[in-house]
Amino acid sequence: MVYCAISGVRFPCLPSVCNTKSQSSFNGDPLCRKGLSFFSKKDPSSCNSPFYFSAKVKMLAGKSSYDSDSPNLAVTTSTATTTTTPTPEKVLVPPDGNASEDPLVPHDVECLTMEDNQIVEDKEKHETTAPLSESIIIGKTEAKSRSIPPPGSGQRIYEIDPSLTGFRQHLDYRYSQYKRIREEIDKYEGGLEVFSRGYEKLGFIRSETGITYREWAPGAKWAALIGDFNNWNPNADVMTQNEFGVWEVFLPNNADGSPPIPHGSRVKIRMDTPSGIKDSIPAWIKFSVQAPGEIPYNGIYYDPPEEEKYIFKHPQPKRPKSLRIYEAHVGMSSTEPLINTYANFRDDVLPRIKKLGYNAVQIMAIQEHSYYASFGYHVTNYFAPCSRCGTPDDLKSLIDRAHELGLLVLMDIVHSHASNNTLDGLNMFDGTDNHYFHSGSRGHHWMWDSRLFNYGSWEVLRFLLSNARWWLDEYKFDGFRFDGVTSMMYTHHGLQMTFTGNYNEYFGYATDIDAVVYLMVVNDMIHGLFPEAVSIGEDVSGMPTFCIPVQDGGVGFDYRLHMAIADKWIELLQKKDEDWRMGDIVHTLTNRRWLEKCVSYAESHDQALVGDKTIAFWLMDKDMYDFMALDRPSTPLVDRGIALHKMIRLITMGLGGEGYLNFMGNEFGHPEWIDFPRGDQRLPTGKIIPGNNNSFDKCRRRFDLGDAEYLRYHGMQEFDRAMQHLEEIYGFMTSEHQYISRKNEGDRVIVFERGNLVFVFNFHWTNSYSDYRVGCLKPGKYKIVLDSDDPLFGGFKRLDKDAEYFSSEGWYDDRPRSFLVYAPSRTAVVYALVEDELETAESENEPAEG
């Protein structure tokens, strides 16, 4: 996420929509009952129900403010929830033989026992209800079950980090809130597996007899479904509201059996709200499009015929031990100044990523966003893929091709905030300020100019949990990079805040318990239903327990993005070489929590944006324009830049964590910055910020530069490729053996071991060292497996790549052995123990059997 103001969202709030005086539905007003779970059979008697825990109460111990007025719920261990493939047009009949009168209301969990379950046809039902069981028989195929483990004790975090015991009250309270939510989901919703399939109940639901459309909008006083299918007539399909604020309408099939809403039709919901009449895109819409020449988007009813739907052909790859992530933006992935398509990315960019040696692609800006220049972070339609790049089926084809290539596909998902766009998005959806978001200033992010979710709302939990599952289930994404998690976890959002590592910064009244509990529950759902899925959190604060499993008391992410590393490199690049400190570099790269994995990066999309600089641009500046051709003399600035560019990336991968990330194009030092097309912007103060004449010139990736063998960019690209393949062969990022034997400030040398590799970095700008002794653990012969000074990588060939290095006994730099090397200035060299050759020689010397 870009931590800077993104102002000038294209659609300002309409005065009639923004100036609402409606009260919060959680403060005892008449709308209170409409905020309750509309899937619940057990209707709590008041707004003090445990369904809603106040987002304003941040208790460190004891009961929260609602406990005295709410039922006393015992915190017990939930049973594991299993998921099965739902059977179309089937419903589960409880033991009494009567189906629920309301298709939205599932039966109590206790009714769904295996011995009582039976599948029967119910012609009066419009959609599917899936039973909660180990597995069911569908035709002749048995559906495999997936389970979400019950909450654990949450106490292992104190064994991992005894320092946390001083904050036990806060952490135990946090875990109790998580357990309470899990239990209430089990009790009232049939379990997390069912709860996270809200898209089967809300939005457009197709059945054999027609289409049901439902929308949760408790603030609306009247609603109707409008669109091309009924000539936008608001009186044709008026909706009815139930006691929980859910509006519903059923459209029967046409006389010829065709669906009442044709595939590809434009649809919206018209509502009479406290802020006036408004037309909105359905909140659970699966596709939305901006027509040429129009400003607002339109929701699209997307339900292609079976023969046109994309069918996945390739299995999802297993999660690799170490992640090498290629961060990409489909729209700006073309070499031409235009918005690229999913199909072109599939055919042109995915093979490039595979060839470079990455094993995962992280795709940005998937969720629909009206404002292109928001980089996809001002989401308007959460269940819809970005229509600028193609259709939902085009995106599925892209993901399937990636799986064929053995690449994981991670989605940059935005649950930290939402666009403030009132025409296309969730903001003021039902005419109230507090529908999906906190009301007042707490519901607005002053720097990002966006809305902030109320994670204490039951229906917000349903919406976000279902959203995460939708992308994993429907599109076969292999995991997520959760954006802006620091902003979620603290009421100050990490703004104007320096995290020093003091635990009081993490476990106090500034922590948003509701948000942290949501993150725990969504990670529970992800890992329970999709065991191979990857969950990465963008957290700059260093929150302890962030990557500890939820059952042990942690937040449950697999990886944390190690954001401090990129900041450190930018800091150093503004200093002279003489002011770089080896110990400072090593400390930043290795400053991470035990047993909590990190994805490191030297630079991501943040550093490539206009207003910032990439590492290559910091290093070489304007010389990149005139001195990158091999048939022209270089300059000292270019030579220094290319050398340090390679060293920075390798040491970041070598020491920074268990995963590595690179933003597309930065592997070869992409020149200039990213600047999305934009017009002039007038601020409320009257000041005008000049645009770029809506140009796409700097909103693309010049992959042709990295491929051109006559340019120095090619050598930088080849080094990055060699670096990725080296990790693939040796797996050094996840090696249990890591030892830093030298960080010499005088020599400007860093030496460390990972696995059977010895890394030697000489950051000195002029000094090269002959017969330089480096320590090692294992005895034997070493060879060069990666040399940044290789001519192939734009180096000066000061090393013999065929040379052999033999260890000698004796302690050096606290290592039991050592060997002598030549360490040229500004180079990084990796030496590998030649174990395979030794094993081969030993096997050849063994006497033959018989």
Side-chain angles (χ1 to χ4, degrees):
M1 184 67 204
V2 183
Y3 286 83
C4 62
I6 302 178
S7 57
V9 174
R10 181 170 54 190
F11 305 124
C13 296
L14 298 176
S16 62
V17 175
C18 290
N19 297 331
T20 177
K21 296 182 180 179
S22 62
Q23 295 179 342
S24 167
S25 62
F26 307 125
N27 291 332
D29 63 39
L31 290 177
C32 174
R33 62 186 181 87
K34 298 178 182 179
L36 299 177
S37 170
F38 52 83
F39 288 169
S40 172
K41 184 176 180 180
K42 300 184 179 180
D43 184 9
S45 59
S46 72
C47 284
N48 289 324
S49 161
F51 271 28
Y52 290 95
F53 48 93
S54 171
K56 297 178 181 179
V57 179
K58 294 290 170 278
M59 302 290 289
L60 296 187
K63 295 183 178 181
S64 59
S65 60
Y66 57 77
D67 281 345
S68 59
D69 299 320
S70 61
N72 182 19
L73 295 179
V75 180
T76 58
T77 302
S78 304
T79 56
T81 302
T82 57
T83 176
T84 59
T85 304
T87 308
E89 291 302 302
K90 311 279 188 180
V91 296
L92 189 68
V93 176
D96 60 9
N98 296 319
S100 169
E101 295 179 0
D102 185 351
L104 279 174
V105 182
H107 305 291
D108 291 340
V109 178
E110 57 266 27
C111 294
L112 304 179
T113 57
M114 280 296 293
E115 58 269 25
D116 292 328
N117 285 351
Q118 54 179 316
I119 305 298
V120 298
E121 288 289 343
D122 187 345
K123 297 181 180 179
E124 297 177 357
K125 295 297 177 183
H126 303 315
E127 57 279 321
T128 300
T129 300
L132 180 67
S133 59
E134 290 301 320
S135 62
I136 58 175
I137 303 299
I138 304 176
K140 296 183 180 180
T141 303
E142 182 173 350
K144 295 182 179 179
S145 63
R146 296 175 290 182
S147 64
I148 300 176
S153 66
Q155 298 298 300
R156 187 167 177 265
I157 53 174
Y158 305 116
E159 300 174 17
I160 296 172
D161 183 1
S163 300
L164 293 172
T165 55
F167 300 87
R168 182 184 288 272
Q169 286 185 323
H170 177 102
L171 290 165
D172 285 354
Y173 173 76
R174 182 179 84 179
Y175 203 73
S176 71
Q177 297 306 299
Y178 152 75
K179 292 180 73 172
R180 182 178 62 79
I181 290 297
R182 280 292 307 271
E183 290 194 9
E184 289 172 5
I185 290 174
D186 287 350
K187 184 176 182 179
Y188 297 105
E189 300 285 356
L192 185 53
E193 189 279 322
V194 177
F195 189 54
S196 61
R197 285 191 279 119
Y199 46 81
E200 294 181 359
K201 294 295 182 183
L202 286 153
F204 293 93
I205 313 299
R206 181 81 169 97
S207 68
E208 292 182 2
T209 56
I211 297 173
T212 301
Y213 169 58
R214 296 191 187 94
E215 196 73 70
W216 176 63
K221 295 174 285 186
W222 174 90
L225 179 63
I226 57 176
D228 293 330
F229 72 98
N230 63 8
N231 295 317
W232 301 91
N233 182 359
N235 298 315
D237 296 289
V238 177
M239 305 176 72
T240 59
Q241 185 185 35
N242 70 10
E243 59 181 314
F244 304 113
V246 178
W247 295 89
E248 177 178 340
V249 64
F250 175 70
L251 284 66
N253 286 337
N254 298 322
D256 61 358
S258 61
I261 307 177
H263 165 60
S265 295
R266 295 177 297 171
V267 291
K268 284 194 174 183
I269 179 174
R270 177 166 294 178
M271 291 176 284
D272 182 5
T273 76
S275 303
I277 301 293
K278 64 172 303 212
D279 294 348
S280 295
I281 295 175
W284 298 69
I285 197 73
K286 306 304 190 298
F287 195 44
S288 63
V289 171
Q290 183 184 41
E294 294 186 4
I295 292 178
Y297 273 62
N298 281 293
I300 300 295
Y301 179 73
Y302 195 86
D303 186 23
E306 289 298 323
E307 62 272 14
E308 296 180 14
K309 292 181 179 179
Y310 187 84
I311 304 299
F312 286 91
K313 306 175 183 64
H314 305 284
Q316 294 178 246
K318 296 293 183 181
R319 183 200 302 194
K321 190 174 182 181
S322 57
L323 277 177
R324 300 186 301 278
I325 303 169
Y326 196 85
E327 185 184 31
H329 184 288
V330 173
M332 55 176 293
S333 63
S334 173
T335 57
E336 302 299 323
L338 49 79
I339 297 177
N340 207 9
T341 65
Y342 296 126
N344 287 341
F345 188 93
R346 175 197 64 204
D347 297 338
D348 301 334
V349 183
L350 286 179
R352 168 183 297 277
I353 297 171
K354 178 67 175 179
K355 181 180 179 181
L356 286 171
Y358 292 86
N359 57 19
V361 54
Q362 178 178 297
I363 306 181
M364 308 171 61
I366 289 295
Q367 295 165 295
E368 187 60 87
H369 47 290
S370 297
Y371 187 44
Y372 190 48
S374 74
F375 227 140
Y377 289 119
H378 280 210
V379 176
T380 45
N381 309 120
Y382 277 77
F383 290 81
C386 178
S387 59
R388 295 178 180 89
C389 303
T391 68
D393 288 288
D394 292 336
L395 175 57
K396 291 177 181 179
S397 175
L398 182 161
I399 294 171
D400 199 25
R401 172 57 175 156
H403 291 163
E404 182 184 11
L405 293 171
L407 297 171
L408 265 65
V409 186
L410 307 179
M411 175 179 168
D412 195 344
I413 196 168
V414 185
H415 283 182
S416 51
H417 64 136
S419 171
N420 67 4
N421 182 332
T422 59
L423 293 182
D424 302 327
L426 297 178
N427 189 21
M428 304 291 293
F429 184 85
D430 70 348
T432 65
D433 185 47
N434 63 335
H435 184 200
Y436 282 94
F437 312 106
H438 289 293
S439 60
S441 61
R442 187 176 179 188
H444 294 263
H445 197 293
W446 63 266
M447 179 173 280
W448 294 345
D449 192 23
S450 56
R451 296 304 310 273
L452 299 174
F453 286 106
N454 177 7
Y455 303 101
S457 164
W458 195 256
E459 297 309 322
V460 171
L461 286 178
R462 187 195 310 277
F463 182 84
L464 294 177
L465 289 168
S466 300
N467 184 245
R469 180 166 180 183
W470 168 255
W471 294 107
L472 297 174
D473 250 345
E474 181 71 14
Y475 287 88
K476 310 302 179 188
F477 277 97
D478 301 292
F480 299 114
R481 176 258 199 194
F482 280 84
D483 173 70
V485 175
T486 302
S487 175
M488 296 173 66
M489 295 192 298
Y490 307 97
T491 56
H492 53 61
H493 310 302
L495 301 175
Q496 300 176 337
M497 174 73 184
T498 300
F499 291 94
T500 65
N502 186 315
Y503 280 17
N504 289 293
E505 298 165 353
Y506 308 114
F507 309 122
Y509 289 101
T511 304
D512 189 333
I513 296 293
D514 295 347
V516 177
V517 167
Y518 164 68
L519 292 171
M520 296 167 72
V521 176
V522 74
N523 277 312
D524 247 3
M525 185 273 294
I526 292 170
H527 294 126
L529 299 180
F530 307 90
E532 291 294 320
V534 177
S535 176
I536 304 170
E538 185 199 33
D539 171 40
V540 72
S541 74
M543 164 72 80
T545 76
F546 191 75
C547 295
I548 299 296
V550 176
Q551 286 189 313
D552 297 333
V555 183
F557 285 99
D558 295 312
Y559 296 88
R560 169 192 278 114
L561 280 178
H562 201 334
M563 302 174 70
I565 295 176
D567 294 338
K568 174 56 65 175
W569 288 125
I570 298 302
E571 174 192 324
L572 292 176
L573 290 172
Q574 298 177 68
K575 297 180 178 180
K576 297 179 180 179
D577 290 12
E578 296 90 327
D579 296 328
W580 290 26
R581 294 292 174 261
M582 303 301 102
D584 186 29
I585 294 172
V586 170
H587 172 75
T588 301
L589 292 170
T590 58
N591 184 23
R592 54 186 185 273
R593 297 184 58 81
W594 183 54
L595 295 182
E596 299 194 39
K597 294 186 290 186
C598 288
V599 172
S600 65
Y601 59 93
E603 54 187 339
S604 68
H605 68 271
D606 286 348
Q607 288 71 40
L609 285 171
V610 63
D612 205 339
K613 292 182 180 181
T614 63
I615 288 178
F617 214 61
W618 275 109
L619 289 167
M620 293 177 277
D621 204 60
K622 64 181 184 300
D623 279 19
M624 296 181 73
Y625 297 116
D626 300 316
F627 300 99
M628 297 300 282
L630 291 174
D631 62 353
R632 299 185 61 181
S634 181
T635 67
L637 198 63
V638 167
D639 289 342
R640 171 183 179 268
I642 291 177
L644 288 178
H645 190 271
K646 293 178 288 187
M647 296 179 71
I648 287 170
R649 301 174 77 78
L650 180 58
I651 198 170
T652 298
M653 179 184 244
L655 277 181
E658 294 75 22
Y660 178 79
L661 178 142
N662 165 66
F663 179 67
M664 63 177 186
N666 288 349
E667 67 272 11
F668 61 82
H670 197 290
E672 297 185 323
W673 51 84
I674 297 168
D675 192 8
F676 283 88
R678 52 192 171 84
D680 295 344
Q681 177 188 352
R682 180 183 293 274
L683 300 179
T685 60
K687 179 182 179 181
I688 295 179
I689 300 178
N692 62 7
N693 199 28
N694 293 306
S695 171
F696 282 87
D697 184 62
K698 290 183 172 59
C699 194
R700 55 175 171 158
R701 294 282 89 179
R702 294 291 306 277
F703 293 119
D704 54 311
L705 299 178
D707 293 342
E709 296 183 2
Y710 57 86
L711 296 178
R712 291 184 169 87
Y713 295 109
H714 183 68
M716 299 162 74
Q717 178 172 283
E718 286 300 300
F719 180 79
D720 191 86
R721 186 165 75 96
M723 189 170 76
Q724 306 304 322
H725 285 282
L726 181 74
E727 207 288 325
E728 173 68 22
I729 295 170
Y730 291 95
F732 58 81
M733 284 197 298
T734 54
S735 171
E736 294 182 1
H737 174 62
Q738 175 178 308
Y739 191 90
I740 301 164
S741 60
R742 173 164 289 223
K743 40 188 176 180
N744 190 295
E745 302 295 350
D747 296 342
R748 304 302 170 99
V749 171
I750 296 173
V751 179
F752 62 88
E753 305 162 22
R754 287 199 85 166
N756 285 343
L757 301 180
V758 177
F759 293 73
V760 180
F761 290 81
N762 180 6
F763 281 94
H764 204 284
W765 47 97
T766 56
N767 290 355
S768 299
Y769 306 105
S770 299
D771 294 333
Y772 197 81
R773 188 169 295 278
V774 298
C776 63
L777 174 64
K778 295 185 178 181
K781 181 175 69 175
Y782 289 79
K783 66 176 182 180
I784 296 174
V785 289
L786 183 62
D787 172 19
S788 69
D789 205 41
D790 192 309
L792 177 63
F793 310 139
F796 298 99
K797 197 179 181 180
R798 288 171 285 179
L799 287 170
D800 181 0
K801 64 180 181 180
D802 297 322
E804 298 176 342
Y805 305 84
F806 294 89
S807 65
S808 58
E809 298 296 318
W811 286 89
Y812 187 80
D813 283 347
D814 291 327
R815 310 310 289 144
R817 299 166 187 89
S818 61
F819 56 93
L820 299 175
V821 301
Y822 175 47
S825 61
R826 285 195 183 127
T827 60
V829 184
V830 184
Y831 300 86
L833 179 66
V834 189
E835 282 190 322
D836 294 340
E837 293 184 14
L838 292 175
E839 292 173 0
T840 302
E842 290 174 359
S843 63
E844 290 176 351
N845 292 330
E846 291 179 0
E849 294 184 3

